[in-house]
Amino acid sequence: MSCLELIAFAVLLLSAVLCLYRIGRGPTAPDRAVSIDILGTLIVGFCCIMALATGRDYYMNIAIAWALISFVATLALAKYLEGRSYDA
Amino acid sequence: MMLDVAWWIIGVGLAFDLLGCVGLIRLPDVYNRAQAATKCVTLGTCMLLLGVAFVGFSGTSVPMGIKALICAAFVLLTSPVGAHAICRGAYLSGVKLWPESVEDAFGPRADQIQQQPTQKGAADREETKAP
């Protein structure tokens, strides 16, 4: 693992810590939902830097699956926040 | 040469990611935080994936590049839709705007939505409860 990849991991970890701060601190529930969405997108970035660092391409499969599943989770949270019925 | 270009793209993407998360900390209300963080992090992650695609196509592994492009398309499609849904849910659940906000374009439409008395699902449940 080269120096550049370590720097990339450090920057992504710093971003993830900022997201975690907002999840813990956020005054309302939508703040936390937005932060969780952003954290999911950051994890996709982690997966692609992992693919670069190790040279194995199955990390990209994980990134694709994570992007889609985090989208479904975000939509479920959003419908829950609306406070109305799920099928309206 | 290709590798240098790829690492420059990845570096710019990382800067966008970090600045988006700083915006998530610094801005005053949910809607501002959502727009700053979503736009910056979506573009940043797409640039990371584009850089990985450059590395992949320049000789490491072509499947990795193709998967990176597919993943960039997914992130570009799903992330703004998710943020829009969360902001709509936040407004309808009654989160207030920042007091110094200038315009509230969704306000009349939100009142209209909240005045619709019944939902289809609730009506269905009433019907099944009746007998």
Side-chain angles (χ1 to χ4, degrees), chain B residues 12-107:
Chain B
V12 176
L14 286 171
F16 268 103
D17 272 0
L18 187 61
L19 291 177
C21 288
V22 170
L24 193 63
I25 295 296
R26 298 277 302 168
L27 286 174
D29 71 349
V30 188
Y31 310 102
N32 285 322
R33 283 174 200 144
Q35 66 92 14
T38 304
K39 279 191 290 194
C40 287
V41 174
T42 303
L43 182 62
T45 305
C46 281
M47 289 180 86
L48 288 188
L49 289 162
L50 197 65
V52 173
F54 264 73
V55 174
F57 286 131
S58 70
T60 308
S61 142
V62 174
M64 188 164 95
I66 295 173
K67 284 171 193 167
L69 289 183
I70 292 173
C71 191
F74 281 154
V75 169
L76 210 57
L77 280 177
T78 60
S79 184
V81 176
H84 169 253
I86 285 181
C87 283
R88 184 187 152 92
Y91 199 103
L92 290 179
S93 75
V95 177
K96 292 276 180 291
L97 293 178
W98 187 36
E100 293 176 39
S101 296
V102 178
E103 193 180 356
D104 182 8
F106 188 52

Side-chain angles (χ1 to χ4, degrees), chain A residues 26-47:
Chain A
T28 61
D31 280 312
R32 300 190 168 100
V34 167
S35 301
I36 290 169
D37 184 27
I38 298 304
L39 200 57
T41 314
L42 283 178
I43 288 171
V44 174
F46 263 110
C47 286

